[in-house]
Short mmCIF file of all heavy atoms in Angstrom, two decimals:
data_model
loop_
_atom_site.label_atom_id
_atom_site.label_comp_id
_atom_site.label_asym_id
_atom_site.label_seq_id
_atom_site.Cartn_x
_atom_site.Cartn_y
_atom_site.Cartn_z
N ARG A 15 0.88 -1.18 -0.01
CA ARG A 15 0.00 0.00 -0.01
C ARG A 15 0.96 1.23 0.00
O ARG A 15 1.62 1.52 0.94
CB ARG A 15 -0.90 -0.04 1.25
CG ARG A 15 -2.19 0.70 1.05
CD ARG A 15 -3.20 0.36 2.15
NE ARG A 15 -3.79 -0.95 2.00
CZ ARG A 15 -4.78 -1.25 1.25
NH1 ARG A 15 -5.31 -0.32 0.43
NH2 ARG A 15 -5.29 -2.47 1.17
N ALA A 16 0.86 2.01 -1.11
CA ALA A 16 1.83 3.10 -1.31
C ALA A 16 1.09 4.38 -1.30
O ALA A 16 -0.06 4.47 -1.78
CB ALA A 16 2.59 2.89 -2.65
N GLN A 17 1.80 5.44 -0.80
CA GLN A 17 1.24 6.77 -0.83
C GLN A 17 2.02 7.56 -1.88
O GLN A 17 3.29 7.65 -1.85
CB GLN A 17 1.45 7.45 0.53
CG GLN A 17 0.65 6.77 1.70
CD GLN A 17 1.37 5.53 2.18
OE1 GLN A 17 2.53 5.54 2.47
NE2 GLN A 17 0.58 4.42 2.30
N ILE A 18 1.29 8.12 -2.78
CA ILE A 18 1.90 8.77 -4.00
C ILE A 18 1.37 10.20 -4.07
O ILE A 18 0.20 10.45 -3.83
CB ILE A 18 1.56 8.01 -5.28
CG1 ILE A 18 2.32 6.66 -5.24
CG2 ILE A 18 2.01 8.79 -6.51
CD1 ILE A 18 1.92 5.72 -6.36
N SER A 19 2.22 11.13 -4.44
CA SER A 19 1.80 12.48 -4.74
C SER A 19 1.84 12.64 -6.28
O SER A 19 2.87 12.42 -6.92
CB SER A 19 2.76 13.50 -4.14
OG SER A 19 2.38 14.82 -4.51
N ASP A 20 0.65 12.90 -6.91
CA ASP A 20 0.64 13.03 -8.36
C ASP A 20 1.22 14.36 -8.81
O ASP A 20 1.68 15.18 -8.07
CB ASP A 20 -0.85 12.78 -8.88
CG ASP A 20 -1.79 13.88 -8.50
OD1 ASP A 20 -1.35 14.96 -8.11
OD2 ASP A 20 -3.00 13.64 -8.66
N ALA A 21 1.16 14.60 -10.18
CA ALA A 21 1.79 15.75 -10.71
C ALA A 21 1.25 17.02 -10.18
O ALA A 21 1.96 18.07 -10.19
CB ALA A 21 1.71 15.68 -12.23
N SER A 22 -0.02 17.03 -9.72
CA SER A 22 -0.61 18.26 -9.19
C SER A 22 -0.34 18.40 -7.72
O SER A 22 -0.79 19.37 -7.16
CB SER A 22 -2.11 18.23 -9.47
OG SER A 22 -2.70 17.18 -8.71
N GLY A 23 0.30 17.41 -7.07
CA GLY A 23 0.55 17.46 -5.65
C GLY A 23 -0.54 16.80 -4.82
O GLY A 23 -0.46 16.79 -3.63
N THR A 24 -1.50 16.23 -5.52
CA THR A 24 -2.65 15.60 -4.83
C THR A 24 -2.17 14.22 -4.30
O THR A 24 -1.61 13.41 -5.08
CB THR A 24 -3.84 15.37 -5.76
OG1 THR A 24 -4.21 16.65 -6.32
CG2 THR A 24 -4.99 14.74 -5.03
N PRO A 25 -2.43 13.92 -2.98
CA PRO A 25 -2.00 12.61 -2.50
C PRO A 25 -2.95 11.51 -3.01
O PRO A 25 -4.14 11.73 -3.13
CB PRO A 25 -2.15 12.76 -0.98
CG PRO A 25 -3.15 13.89 -0.80
CD PRO A 25 -2.92 14.79 -1.92
N ARG A 26 -2.33 10.39 -3.30
CA ARG A 26 -3.12 9.18 -3.85
C ARG A 26 -2.61 7.94 -3.10
O ARG A 26 -1.45 7.83 -2.77
CB ARG A 26 -2.87 8.99 -5.38
CG ARG A 26 -3.10 10.22 -6.19
CD ARG A 26 -4.62 10.40 -6.48
NE ARG A 26 -4.80 11.43 -7.46
CZ ARG A 26 -5.98 11.78 -7.92
NH1 ARG A 26 -7.05 11.12 -7.55
NH2 ARG A 26 -6.19 12.81 -8.79
N ASP A 27 -3.51 7.01 -2.89
CA ASP A 27 -3.17 5.70 -2.33
C ASP A 27 -3.26 4.67 -3.46
O ASP A 27 -4.27 4.59 -4.22
CB ASP A 27 -4.14 5.32 -1.19
CG ASP A 27 -3.89 6.11 0.08
OD1 ASP A 27 -2.74 6.62 0.20
OD2 ASP A 27 -4.80 6.22 0.90
N VAL A 28 -2.27 3.84 -3.61
CA VAL A 28 -2.16 2.81 -4.64
C VAL A 28 -1.93 1.49 -3.92
O VAL A 28 -0.97 1.42 -3.16
CB VAL A 28 -1.14 3.15 -5.72
CG1 VAL A 28 -1.02 1.95 -6.68
CG2 VAL A 28 -1.49 4.40 -6.49
N HIS A 29 -2.64 0.48 -4.30
CA HIS A 29 -2.40 -0.86 -3.82
C HIS A 29 -1.81 -1.69 -4.89
O HIS A 29 -2.36 -1.79 -6.02
CB HIS A 29 -3.69 -1.58 -3.34
CG HIS A 29 -3.44 -2.89 -2.67
ND1 HIS A 29 -3.42 -4.00 -3.36
CD2 HIS A 29 -3.18 -3.19 -1.39
CE1 HIS A 29 -3.19 -5.03 -2.54
NE2 HIS A 29 -3.04 -4.56 -1.34
N ALA A 30 -0.62 -2.27 -4.70
CA ALA A 30 0.05 -3.10 -5.69
C ALA A 30 0.43 -4.43 -5.07
O ALA A 30 0.55 -4.56 -3.83
CB ALA A 30 1.36 -2.38 -6.13
N LYS A 31 0.62 -5.42 -5.94
CA LYS A 31 1.03 -6.71 -5.46
C LYS A 31 2.52 -6.68 -5.11
O LYS A 31 2.99 -7.33 -4.15
CB LYS A 31 0.76 -7.79 -6.49
CG LYS A 31 -0.71 -8.03 -6.77
CD LYS A 31 -0.96 -9.05 -7.86
CE LYS A 31 -2.44 -9.28 -8.14
NZ LYS A 31 -2.68 -10.14 -9.27
N TYR A 32 3.29 -5.83 -5.90
CA TYR A 32 4.71 -5.76 -5.72
C TYR A 32 5.14 -4.28 -5.99
O TYR A 32 4.53 -3.58 -6.82
CB TYR A 32 5.53 -6.73 -6.59
CG TYR A 32 5.15 -8.15 -6.28
CD1 TYR A 32 4.23 -8.86 -7.08
CD2 TYR A 32 5.71 -8.86 -5.22
CE1 TYR A 32 3.84 -10.13 -6.83
CE2 TYR A 32 5.34 -10.15 -4.91
CZ TYR A 32 4.43 -10.76 -5.75
OH TYR A 32 4.09 -12.07 -5.45
N ILE A 33 6.27 -3.88 -5.42
CA ILE A 33 6.84 -2.62 -5.72
C ILE A 33 8.35 -2.82 -6.10
O ILE A 33 9.02 -3.63 -5.55
CB ILE A 33 6.73 -1.61 -4.51
CG1 ILE A 33 7.28 -0.20 -4.88
CG2 ILE A 33 7.51 -2.17 -3.32
CD1 ILE A 33 7.02 0.83 -3.80
N VAL A 34 8.74 -2.07 -7.17
CA VAL A 34 10.13 -2.15 -7.59
C VAL A 34 10.71 -0.74 -7.61
O VAL A 34 10.25 0.19 -8.21
CB VAL A 34 10.24 -2.70 -9.03
CG1 VAL A 34 11.67 -2.77 -9.45
CG2 VAL A 34 9.64 -4.13 -9.10
N GLY A 35 11.87 -0.66 -6.89
CA GLY A 35 12.62 0.62 -6.80
C GLY A 35 13.64 0.70 -7.91
O GLY A 35 14.67 -0.04 -7.87
N ALA A 36 13.40 1.50 -8.95
CA ALA A 36 14.36 1.73 -9.98
C ALA A 36 14.74 3.28 -9.89
O ALA A 36 14.92 3.91 -10.91
CB ALA A 36 13.82 1.39 -11.37
N ASP A 37 14.80 3.71 -8.67
CA ASP A 37 14.88 5.21 -8.42
C ASP A 37 16.29 5.64 -8.09
O ASP A 37 16.46 6.60 -7.37
CB ASP A 37 13.87 5.56 -7.34
CG ASP A 37 13.96 4.68 -6.11
OD1 ASP A 37 14.51 3.55 -6.17
OD2 ASP A 37 13.39 5.10 -5.04
N GLY A 38 17.23 4.97 -8.63
CA GLY A 38 18.65 5.48 -8.60
C GLY A 38 19.42 5.33 -7.32
O GLY A 38 18.98 4.71 -6.35
N ALA A 39 20.59 5.95 -7.39
CA ALA A 39 21.54 5.76 -6.26
C ALA A 39 20.99 6.31 -4.92
O ALA A 39 21.37 5.75 -3.85
CB ALA A 39 22.89 6.47 -6.60
N ASN A 40 20.21 7.33 -4.97
CA ASN A 40 19.62 7.86 -3.77
C ASN A 40 18.22 7.33 -3.53
O ASN A 40 17.34 8.05 -3.03
CB ASN A 40 19.64 9.39 -3.85
CG ASN A 40 21.02 10.00 -3.91
OD1 ASN A 40 21.88 9.56 -3.15
ND2 ASN A 40 21.22 10.89 -4.85
N SER A 41 18.03 6.04 -3.76
CA SER A 41 16.70 5.42 -3.79
C SER A 41 15.89 5.60 -2.50
O SER A 41 16.35 5.26 -1.40
CB SER A 41 16.93 3.90 -4.07
OG SER A 41 15.72 3.22 -3.86
N LEU A 42 14.76 6.16 -2.69
CA LEU A 42 13.80 6.25 -1.58
C LEU A 42 13.23 4.93 -1.18
O LEU A 42 13.04 4.65 0.00
CB LEU A 42 12.65 7.20 -1.90
CG LEU A 42 11.53 7.38 -0.85
CD1 LEU A 42 12.10 7.94 0.43
CD2 LEU A 42 10.41 8.26 -1.35
N VAL A 43 13.02 4.06 -2.17
CA VAL A 43 12.51 2.70 -1.86
C VAL A 43 13.48 2.00 -0.99
O VAL A 43 13.17 1.39 0.06
CB VAL A 43 12.27 1.94 -3.17
CG1 VAL A 43 11.90 0.50 -2.83
CG2 VAL A 43 11.12 2.58 -3.99
#
């Protein structure tokens, strides 16, 4: 269960079976 801020800054909740961090050397994941 992930909390995401969309392009407008609006918070969104997303449910996924899996999450993959491809977010680089300073990975938040």
Side-chain angles (χ1 to χ4, degrees):
R15 208 166 284 279
Q17 298 78 50
I18 293 171
S19 176
D20 68 14
S22 69
T24 304
R26 307 278 187 178
D27 288 337
V28 174
H29 187 271
K31 294 176 182 175
Y32 300 98
I33 184 171
V34 179
D37 49 343
N40 297 313
S41 170
L42 177 60
V43 174

